[in-house]
């Protein structure tokens, strides 16, 4: 256990970067969904953390600034979106309808799954915003009374599983346009899906990034109404 906060910050920040770079190198050699850096990097960090008895609060106390950088990283999706602005301008009604429908379906399915499994309280509320990028999801989770850090975990799991499922669906569903393929990855797997869509093609990556950002904005705007409804129902 490292008692000095400054040293802990340097150690765990460095360990996080090293784990991610190692996971990225593995993924380049074998691009399989189960070797996604989002899944492998946390596993690598757990290898020293568990034997050393490092708690989450100890880790996040030193590496919280990395989490804060997710917001600016999301803004970086503006570059590929701008490059494909003509396609987006032409198809914005379809994208808007898809984002609204996808957001409703994502929250409804999370609520139904929580009800089916008997999950309630903060855990249920933390699960609700799982289908959007981490900065948006954590903001919505805080607004509705969930635990933002726990929501970040659910977002990561959704992203990895969604990207894997989307890759499988491409083999069986007749998604012939870049718009359909990109929207599916962006709505179903947010950041992880946008990265996978970018590997498929530039248009797919741009559409996925736009869909992810629109879904986040839509849910952030709706979050206060959702929070009021949930608290009224309780």
């Amino acid at each position: 256990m490292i008692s000095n906060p400054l040293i802990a910050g340097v150690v765990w920040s460095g360990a996080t970067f090293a784990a991610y770079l190692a996971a990225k190198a593995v993924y380049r050699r074998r691009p399989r969904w189960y070797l996604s850096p989002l899944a492998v990097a946390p596993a690598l960090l757990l290898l020293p953390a568990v034997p050393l008895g490092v708690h989450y609060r100890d880790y996040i106390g030193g590496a919280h600034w990395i989490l804060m950088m997710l917001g600016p990283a999301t803004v970086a999706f503006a570059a590929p979106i701008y490059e494909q602005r003509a396609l987006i301008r032409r198809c914005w009604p379809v994208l808007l309808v898809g984002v609204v429908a996808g957001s409703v379906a994502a929250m409804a399915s999370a609520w139904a799954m929580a009800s089916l499994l008997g999950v309630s309280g903060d855990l249920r509320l933390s699960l609700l915003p799982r289908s959007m990028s981490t900065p948006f999801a954590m903001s919505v989770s805080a607004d509705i009374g969930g635990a933002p850090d726990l929501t970040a975990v659910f977002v990561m799991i959704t992203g990895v599983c969604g990207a894997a499922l989307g890759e499988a669906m491409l083999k069986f569903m007749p998604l012939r346009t870049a718009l359909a393929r990109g929207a599916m990855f962006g709505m179903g797997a947010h950041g992880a899906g946008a990265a996978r869509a970018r590997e498929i093609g530039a248009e797919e990556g741009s559409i996925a990034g736009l869909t992810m950002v629109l879904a986040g904005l839509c849910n952030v705007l709706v979050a206060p109404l959702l929070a009021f409804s949930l608290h009224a129902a309780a």
Side-chain angles (χ1 to χ4, degrees), residues 12-146:
W12 287 112
S13 296
T16 301
F17 283 117
Y20 178 79
L21 291 174
K24 192 74 174 175
V26 171
Y27 185 74
R28 284 198 195 97
R29 294 176 64 87
R30 294 185 60 82
R32 306 288 187 271
W33 68 267
Y34 51 83
L35 294 178
S36 166
L38 282 177
V40 175
L44 292 176
L45 285 171
L46 285 173
L47 291 177
V50 172
L52 292 173
V54 177
H55 295 286
Y56 172 74
R57 63 177 177 273
D58 301 319
Y59 167 79
I60 203 64
H64 68 282
W65 67 274
I66 299 176
L67 193 61
M68 294 172 61
M69 294 302 294
L70 286 173
T74 302
V75 175
F77 279 97
I81 288 171
Y82 180 77
E83 292 173 0
Q84 301 296 331
R85 61 191 180 280
L87 174 65
I88 293 167
R89 189 162 51 239
R90 190 169 65 249
C91 303
W92 72 264
V94 177
L95 283 171
L96 185 59
V97 171
V99 163
V100 173
S103 297
V104 171
M107 287 196 174
S109 62
W111 190 267
M113 181 171 61
S115 301
L116 183 64
L117 297 175
V119 174
S120 60
D122 292 350
L123 187 58
R124 181 197 291 252
L125 297 174
S126 301
L127 182 63
L128 205 58
R130 62 182 173 80
S131 291
M132 62 189 84
S133 61
T134 306
F136 294 117
M138 294 180 73
S139 176
V140 171
S141 180
D143 285 343
I144 64 177

Side-chain angles (χ1 to χ4, degrees), residues 139-215:
S139 176
V140 171
S141 180
D143 285 343
I144 64 177
D149 289 345
L150 188 57
T151 297
V153 176
F154 291 141
V155 169
M156 183 191 72
I157 295 172
T158 300
V160 173
C161 295
L165 183 60
E167 193 169 340
M169 290 175 67
L170 283 181
K171 299 177 181 178
F172 302 104
M173 294 182 66
L175 301 178
R176 299 184 180 88
T177 66
L179 176 66
R181 292 189 292 269
M184 178 187 70
F185 277 106
M187 189 66 244
H190 38 80
R196 181 67 187 93
R198 188 73 178 175
E199 293 175 3
I200 296 172
E203 286 189 6
E204 285 86 349
S206 299
I207 294 296
L210 176 65
T211 304
M212 179 189 73
V213 172
L214 286 178

Side-chain angles (χ1 to χ4, degrees), residues 1-14 58-59 61-63:
M1 186 74 67
I2 303 173
S3 57
N4 188 300
L6 181 59
I7 297 176
V10 172
V11 169
W12 287 112
S13 296
D58 301 319
Y59 167 79

